Amino acid sequence: LTGSWSKPWEEAGYQVYRFDIQDDWVYEDDDGNEKRAGDVHNFSPDFFEQMFGHFEGNDVYAILAACPCTDFAVSGARHFAAKDADGRTVASVQLVQQTLATIEYFKPAVWAIENPVGRIEKLGGLPPWRTSFDPNHFGEDYTKKTLLWGRHNADMPIAPTEATEGSKMHRLYGGKSQATKNARSETPEGFAYAFFMANNAVDNPVLAIANKYDRLDRALIERAVAAGITEQQITDAVDDH
C-alpha cells in the first residue's frame, strides 16, 4: 500500500509494479468477470499476459512480498482458534501459497516474503527463514523482529541505533482499525534501502547472474565477472533458442 519496500528500486530506475488488495483497480477477465488486480488470488499466466503482456519479455528480477500478517503473527495468538474455525486462516494461507506460485512462475533472481515472528512458515509451506532483523539495525529507533524467507543476499549494510522507543508499534498503533494495522505494517525505510543495496543487480552482478543461472558453478561466474564478461555475454553463451 505504501510502496516503501520497493521505493529504492523505483528511484534507481527499475520498472516497479505494485499490487495491493487495499489499493487496486477492477478489470474484466476473458469471460467478462470483474476482478480486482491487487488481489493476489487472481494472479495467473493469463492475467499477466492480458494486463501486462508478460512485461514485454523482460525478466522479472525481484519479487518482494509482504503478506498480511494478521492471521500469522504471534502477537495475535489469542485469536488463532477463532480464525482457524471461521476460515480466515485458510484464506491467508491460500494467499501465501498463491504468492509462492507467482514466484515459481517468474523465477526471479531475488525474492523475499516478509512477516513478523509467527506461524506463516509452518502453515504456508515456506522454506526455513533466511534473514531476521529489527528496525533499529538500520537506523530506526524501535524494535519489531521481522523474518524474511526467500532467495536474497542477507549481508545488508547496517546502521545500528539504540532502540529508544522500544517496541513502540502496539503502544502507538495498537488499535484494530485498518489504518492502525497499516501503520504497524509499513516497511522501515532504513531496511528498505539496505535490502536494495545488498540485492540490486548493478552493485551485485555475481548474485544477479548466479541466481538467474542457479545450476551453474557460482565460482565460475565470479571468475567471469572479474574478467569483465558481461551478463549479456553470459546469457548469449548459456541460453538456447
Side-chain angles (χ1 to χ4, degrees):
L1 185 64
T2 64
S4 299
W5 194 358
S6 55
K7 182 181 178 183
W9 302 79
E10 190 172 56
E11 291 176 343
Y14 283 79
Q15 179 62 62
V16 172
Y17 296 85
R18 296 187 179 106
F19 301 90
D20 195 289
I21 200 166
Q22 296 181 63
D23 182 27
D24 63 355
W25 37 275
V26 175
Y27 71 97
E28 286 190 359
D29 64 16
D30 292 336
D31 297 323
N33 301 313
E34 286 194 349
K35 291 190 174 181
R36 298 165 67 184
D39 188 346
V40 175
H41 293 97
N42 292 327
F43 285 4
S44 69
D46 288 342
F47 168 78
F48 288 110
E49 175 58 37
Q50 178 186 357
M51 306 310 300
F52 301 100
H54 268 94
F55 308 113
E56 300 178 353
N58 292 318
D59 285 338
V60 175
Y61 176 73
I63 294 179
L64 313 178
C67 296
C69 66
T70 308
D71 302 324
F72 298 124
V74 292
S75 56
R78 64 187 181 279
H79 303 299
F80 283 170
K83 293 179 177 183
D84 294 351
D86 65 19
R88 282 176 287 176
T89 301
V90 171
S92 292
V93 169
Q94 288 174 341
L95 189 149
V96 173
Q97 292 177 342
Q98 180 72 340
T99 301
L100 289 170
T102 304
I103 292 166
E104 173 62 22
Y105 179 69
F106 284 110
K107 296 180 172 61
V110 171
W111 68 270
I113 290 178
E114 173 268 359
N115 237 239
V117 175
R119 56 179 186 165
I120 188 174
E121 179 175 311
K122 180 180 179 180
L123 297 184
L126 294 172
W129 60 268
R130 177 168 177 76
T131 314
S132 72
F133 74 91
D134 276 289
N136 69 302
H137 297 161
F138 303 103
E140 310 289 344
D141 61 1
Y142 67 99
T143 59
K144 182 190 175 188
K145 188 172 182 180
T146 302
L147 305 179
L148 295 175
W149 292 261
R151 183 167 71 166
H152 52 270
N153 179 16
D155 187 15
M156 293 176 275
I158 59 173
T161 353
E162 185 179 357
T164 54
E165 290 293 326
S167 180
K168 71 177 183 180
M169 281 304 178
H170 276 278
R171 185 178 76 251
L172 298 180
Y173 309 110
K176 297 181 180 179
S177 71
Q178 192 61 54
T180 56
K181 290 179 181 178
N182 289 342
R184 290 197 300 267
S185 300
E186 183 170 1
T187 302
E189 182 180 46
F191 160 75
Y193 280 91
F195 186 90
F196 170 78
M197 291 170 68
N199 286 281
N200 75 82
V202 174
D203 295 327
N204 306 278
V206 173
L207 174 140
I209 300 170
N211 283 8
K212 180 178 180 180
Y213 298 112
D214 57 6
R215 296 177 68 185
L216 297 184
D217 184 347
R218 187 185 181 96
L220 187 62
I221 293 174
E222 289 176 352
R223 289 169 55 194
V225 170
I229 305 299
T230 67
E231 179 180 0
Q232 187 58 53
Q233 289 174 308
I234 293 173
T235 295
D236 292 341
V238 173
D239 285 0
D240 59 23
H241 293 297

